[in-house]
Amino acid sequence: MTCQYYTTPIYYVNAKPHLGHAYTSIAADVATRFKKMEGADTFFLTGTDEHGDKIVQAAEKENTTPKAYADKISKLFQDILPLLNIENNHFIRTTDPGHIEVVKSVLSTIYDKGDIYFSSYEGIYCFGCERFYQERELVDGKCPDHGTVPETIKESNYFFKMSKYQDWLIEHIETHPDFIRPEQYRTELLSFLKAPLEDLCISRPKTRLTWGITLPFDEDYVTYVWFDALVNYITALGYPDGERFKKFWPTARHFVAKDIIKPHGIYWPIMLKAAGIDIYNGLNVHGFWNVQGAKMSKSIGNVTDPVEVTGRFGVDAFRYFLMREMVFGLDANFTEDVIVARINSDLANDLGNLFSRVLSMNYKYFKGRIQGPAAGSNKDLSLEPDADAALAAYTKAMAECRFHKALASVWELVSAMNKYIVANEPWTLAKDPARTDDLGRVLYELLEGLRFVAGLIWPVMPDTSSKIITALGLELPEKGFFTLDAIRPWGQMPCGITLAKPRILFPRVDVEKK
Ligand code: ME8
């Protein structure tokens, strides 16, 4: 059986979750659910990143300790998961004792190998990012993420010999075309790697910061937060000898936004290589949710609360909007008008109306009883070719994390079904007793189409999927979804059973009242 491990970034606990965090977690959840539909054994991890200066500062503002503050915010990240219908297998916190042990053991391995050295260093440092910058990384002399001028600091610290592995990393990326996706980020990283890679400062003196993991080889220093954080991906599987680690490593594909491509695309593979651990399978990089052209971010304060949006529009509508609106890899704009437009046109109009029209007609013309495709009916009325085309396009797009395209393929089937109703005019067929068989087949094909659509939307809209399945009189398998192989065969709707009148799937959002 194929195994697949998906992760989200572990989020900093210096502020509560916003729409950007929700997007990455939902994208990883959708990918995991799709892999399950392919029959794979999956493991899906998310969690929180709790050490470092950012957390100390946030805790100080609230007059509390870093640990108490981390407990509070980490809980918000955990509590939001069921509200967003995210089914993670584990939630990791970098303050977990097991994680701390693994970080120390990885550091010791690399230190013993001679890839960590002590040196005095003067460099430019962004406190917001908690890292040293190279001049060439700045934009107009400022940190590209925080827009602030970094400070020059001089310190003795421990450094990780990343430069030693630069040629190896370039070769690894070049020989593994899928390592970083989409392509533009692979190109970006390779072009960054054309200049010499500097060694990474992986310690912070305790005179400046104590909230971190003490270095196993020097009591006076804590570990740089990124070195600590990246290790979470193996800790959570029970590295070094846990059963899960053996099963799921190195199948990991990490979901991240473009802000953290360097730690994931450069530090992490080199850390693994230096520690003698297999390199993870790949990175799936997405763009930013922007608000009026600026990145939605806690430091700017222009954030949208996913709990509030979900409360107003419903969890499936929110998940659909996020996956349909953003082209994976590119930036997208968030406004309320865009979400309302998507709900009204794609969900209420296209899918919702189709669902209620088909079930209402079946109720009206056959008292809800499903007719079979009678032998004497017109075989050209089949919707199977449209369903097959949708399935093929959907599967390809999902495998490439092109969620917007996958959904567009399903909506092509929805639109083909709406056109099919117009073209075949069931209301005219109903007037002609000689064409009852054709009417039965038309409705049967449409019910089959709904079954197909319901199966395919499960990764993105699990609740809606099961609502449609139940309304079609079908039973959900115990695991809660149909595999692609189970969906594929055409003609599975049970004839002779009676379906109830439909209920509204997605109410239209009244723009005035929104
Ligand atoms: O970077 N649009 O944590 P973080 C899209 N702890 N995604 C966004 C976003 C936006 N406007 N804003 C945030 C960290 N994100 C580290 C990670 S991993 C070993 C350590 C999402 O809380 C996106 O996934 O700053 C981004 O990469 C992540 O949140 C950054 O979260």
Side-chain angles (χ1 to χ4, degrees):
M1 188 188 247
T2 318
C3 289
Q4 181 64 57
Y5 178 32
Y6 282 123
T7 69
T8 73
I10 47 170
Y11 305 111
Y12 286 127
V13 288
N14 59 342
K16 61 184 201 167
H18 65 67
L19 182 138
H21 304 118
Y23 176 79
T24 319
S25 298
I26 291 171
D29 184 61
V30 169
T32 307
R33 287 173 186 262
F34 173 72
K35 272 282 160 197
K36 286 184 183 169
M37 285 175 70
E38 285 193 319
D41 197 354
T42 59
F43 194 83
F44 172 25
L45 176 74
T46 185
T48 43
D49 189 356
E50 308 190 359
H51 291 126
D53 208 34
K54 278 189 215 294
I55 317 304
V56 175
Q57 286 175 18
E60 273 170 4
K61 266 195 203 149
E62 290 223 342
N63 255 332
T64 184
T65 62
K67 181 67 171 75
Y69 191 73
D71 286 347
K72 181 176 119 180
I73 305 286
S74 177
K75 186 165 183 315
L76 296 179
F77 277 95
Q78 291 174 56
D79 289 349
I80 198 179
L81 297 168
L83 298 178
L84 299 178
N85 241 334
I86 291 170
E87 287 183 347
N88 56 312
N89 294 93
H90 185 59
F91 189 96
I92 189 161
R93 301 182 56 186
T94 53
T95 49
D96 291 341
H99 173 73
I100 294 170
E101 285 317 302
V102 174
V103 171
K104 288 186 173 183
S105 97
V106 170
L107 278 166
S108 298
T109 306
I110 300 178
Y111 184 73
D112 292 346
K113 200 176 165 188
D115 281 347
I116 290 175
Y117 62 93
F118 191 65
S119 168
S120 170
Y121 182 77
E122 183 174 297
I124 45 173
Y125 191 82
C126 170
F127 280 87
C129 298
E130 290 187 62
R131 76 169 179 100
F132 287 96
Y133 267 92
Q134 297 169 33
E135 286 290 350
R136 68 183 169 111
E137 292 179 277
L138 303 180
V139 177
D140 298 331
K142 291 177 183 163
C143 161
D145 285 341
H146 293 89
T148 47
V149 179
E151 290 178 38
T152 301
I153 61 175
K154 190 170 180 192
E155 255 173 21
S156 291
N157 264 312
Y158 286 88
F159 289 83
F160 173 39
K161 284 187 190 165
M162 290 211 305
S163 49
K164 175 177 157 187
Y165 294 94
Q166 178 163 7
D167 291 342
W168 165 80
L169 181 61
I170 292 171
E171 200 195 322
H172 186 81
I173 298 175
E174 279 175 346
T175 53
H176 294 79
D178 268 358
F179 187 58
I180 298 164
R181 283 197 314 221
E183 185 64 23
Q184 72 255 34
Y185 296 110
R186 183 168 174 265
T187 310
E188 183 186 313
L189 215 56
L190 280 172
S191 103
F192 181 81
L193 284 168
K194 283 201 174 114
L197 196 55
E198 290 198 1
D199 291 342
L200 180 69
C201 176
I202 53 129
S203 64
R204 298 291 181 264
K206 281 193 180 169
T207 46
R208 177 148 75 79
L209 176 73
T210 54
W211 181 237
I213 300 176
T214 299
L215 290 182
F217 40 82
D218 192 334
E219 280 287 310
D220 294 334
Y221 286 83
V222 293
T223 311
Y224 171 43
V225 67
W226 266 106
F227 198 101
D228 157 358
L230 288 161
V231 173
N232 92 86
Y233 299 132
I234 55 172
T235 309
L237 293 180
Y239 172 82
D241 45 22
E243 281 310 309
R244 274 193 188 135
F245 183 73
K246 288 183 203 152
K247 186 169 171 187
F248 288 102
W249 195 261
T251 72
R253 286 206 73 90
H254 303 304
F255 276 84
V256 296
K258 61 185 182 181
D259 53 341
I260 52 176
I261 183 171
K262 278 180 202 152
H264 283 84
I266 297 178
Y267 311 170
W268 182 222
I270 293 182
M271 283 164 66
L272 290 166
K273 179 78 179 162
I277 304 169
D278 287 340
I279 312 307
Y280 64 87
N281 182 277
L283 266 191
N284 296 331
V285 187
H286 64 79
F288 289 150
W289 281 96
N290 291 332
V291 180
Q292 289 169 347
K295 179 190 173 196
M296 184 183 292
S297 90
K298 48 202 161 196
S299 52
I300 300 177
N302 57 352
V303 296
T304 300
D305 178 358
V307 178
E308 197 250 339
V309 181
T310 305
R312 262 191 311 156
F313 300 116
V315 61
D316 274 13
F318 182 54
R319 288 173 65 107
Y320 174 82
F321 161 75
L322 291 177
M323 294 302 110
R324 181 65 187 82
E325 190 65 26
M326 177 174 260
V327 175
F328 195 87
L330 303 182
D331 290 356
N333 261 312
F334 179 78
T335 65
E336 285 217 1
D337 291 346
V338 191
I339 186 167
V340 168
R342 278 273 171 220
I343 293 174
N344 285 345
S345 81
D346 300 8
L347 299 182
N349 263 4
D350 297 347
L351 178 60
N353 278 350
L354 173 70
F355 170 78
S356 52
R357 271 173 108 185
V358 173
L359 282 162
S360 305
M361 289 192 292
N362 191 55
Y363 194 81
K364 183 170 171 194
Y365 302 135
F366 297 113
K367 298 197 169 64
R369 193 164 188 277
I370 304 179
Q371 308 297 298
S377 62
N378 180 356
K379 294 197 174 50
D380 292 343
L381 289 171
S382 179
L383 274 166
E384 186 176 358
D386 298 278
D388 278 348
L391 177 65
Y394 165 91
T395 309
K396 182 170 183 294
M398 276 296 217
E400 294 165 349
C401 285
R402 291 146 76 95
F403 306 115
H404 69 289
K405 249 193 143 177
L407 287 169
S409 314
V410 178
W411 258 252
E412 270 177 33
L413 175 58
V414 168
S415 142
M417 289 165 70
N418 276 321
K419 285 185 191 139
Y420 178 89
I421 297 176
V422 175
N424 290 298
E425 300 186 358
W427 46 92
T428 309
L429 295 178
K431 287 184 194 144
D432 181 354
R435 300 204 62 191
T436 308
D437 281 355
D438 280 348
L439 177 62
R441 185 184 269 269
V442 164
L443 285 176
Y444 187 82
E445 293 292 324
L446 288 165
L447 290 167
E448 263 297 279
L450 282 177
R451 177 187 68 77
F452 226 80
V453 169
L456 298 187
I457 60 173
W458 179 74
V460 177
M461 295 195 282
D463 290 348
T464 307
S465 166
S466 56
K467 259 192 218 164
I468 300 178
I469 296 288
T470 312
L472 293 177
L474 298 168
E475 258 192 50
L476 273 173
E478 205 177 317
K479 52 185 185 283
F481 62 92
F482 291 101
T483 59
L484 293 175
D485 285 345
I487 295 170
R488 193 170 287 117
W490 192 252
Q492 295 186 52
M493 282 300 292
C495 303
I497 63 159
T498 301
L499 305 180
K501 266 188 184 172
R503 282 186 298 160
I504 289 180
L505 263 194
F506 292 100
R508 277 186 72 79
V509 180
D510 186 335
V511 182
E512 289 304 309
K513 285 193 202 145
K514 77 175 191 231

